[in-house]
Amino acid sequence: MNALIVARKEFDDARRSRLLWALIAVVSGLVALTMGVPLLVPVLGDDPLQGLGAASEFAAILVPIVALVAAYLALAGERESGSLRLLLGLEPNRRTVVAGKFLGRAAVVALGIVAGFLLAGVVGWVLYGGLPLAAFLAVTALTAVLGIAFVGVAVGVSAATASRSRAMTVGIAAYLGVTLLWDLLP
């Protein structure tokens, strides 16, 4: 059994999660709404790059939260329920399980982010009459990479902690440390 089999099962499980898709829908809707913020503020004008900038700033705050929620229980939840012991009793080793969990959850988060930005792109196209395609694709890709990076943090936290509550606590601390307090470090 390789990591892709574990990833496929993890993708299917996460894909069926209503909470995860509700979070992705909320983020998608809010990112699409923020695309039109520069039109509401007369000082900013009607530049589609301003709208894309507003959407990306907003997504930079919300995407890590969605990624952490999507992946913080990847291993800790299964450890508490006992299904991880069953999985590790089969063929895959620990490294394969962790890699598969990461790949499956990262695929779900990246797919949700791309879908959300496609919705924001349609809104931007309608509101501004066009959209700088290269900048839009770059922001979408970089936001997806941000989400995947936070999935990696969450899966690592989930693998290192023994319970759901510890995984959530360390995940929140990681979010606060990386997104909010990082600028204070220097």
Side-chain angles (χ1 to χ4, degrees):
M1 182 182 289
N2 63 14
L4 293 179
I5 294 171
V6 176
R8 183 175 297 132
K9 181 205 172 290
E10 198 63 26
F11 182 82
D12 288 340
D13 290 348
R15 185 175 49 98
R16 284 180 244 154
S17 170
R18 290 184 182 154
L19 172 65
L20 178 62
W21 285 110
L23 280 172
I24 289 173
V26 167
V27 170
S28 300
L30 291 174
V31 167
L33 285 175
T34 57
M35 191 73 146
V37 167
L39 291 175
L40 300 175
V41 181
V43 176
L44 296 177
D46 60 351
D47 184 16
L49 284 174
Q50 294 284 342
L52 186 58
S56 68
E57 288 289 327
F58 195 68
I61 296 169
L62 291 180
V63 165
I65 296 170
V66 171
L68 288 170
V69 168
Y72 84 98
L73 291 179
L75 292 157
E78 288 196 16
R79 184 179 294 122
E80 268 191 8
S81 71
S83 62
L84 185 62
R85 186 179 302 266
L86 179 66
L87 179 62
L88 289 173
L90 298 172
E91 185 182 339
N93 60 18
R94 291 177 187 207
R95 183 176 295 142
T96 302
V97 170
V98 171
K101 298 279 185 184
F102 168 73
L103 291 173
R105 301 286 172 120
V108 168
V109 169
L111 182 67
I113 290 169
V114 168
F117 268 88
L118 285 177
L119 176 64
V122 169
V123 169
W125 192 275
V126 169
L127 290 176
Y128 298 107
L131 202 62
L133 189 60
F136 176 75
L137 292 176
V139 167
T140 303
L142 289 173
T143 306
V145 169
L146 175 69
I148 291 169
F150 271 93
V151 166
V153 169
V155 169
V157 164
S158 183
T161 57
S163 68
R164 294 171 182 239
S165 60
R166 286 183 187 160
M168 185 176 7
T169 303
V170 175
I172 290 170
Y175 171 76
L176 291 174
V178 172
T179 59
L180 301 177
L181 303 174
W182 188 258
D183 291 336
L184 300 176
L185 190 66

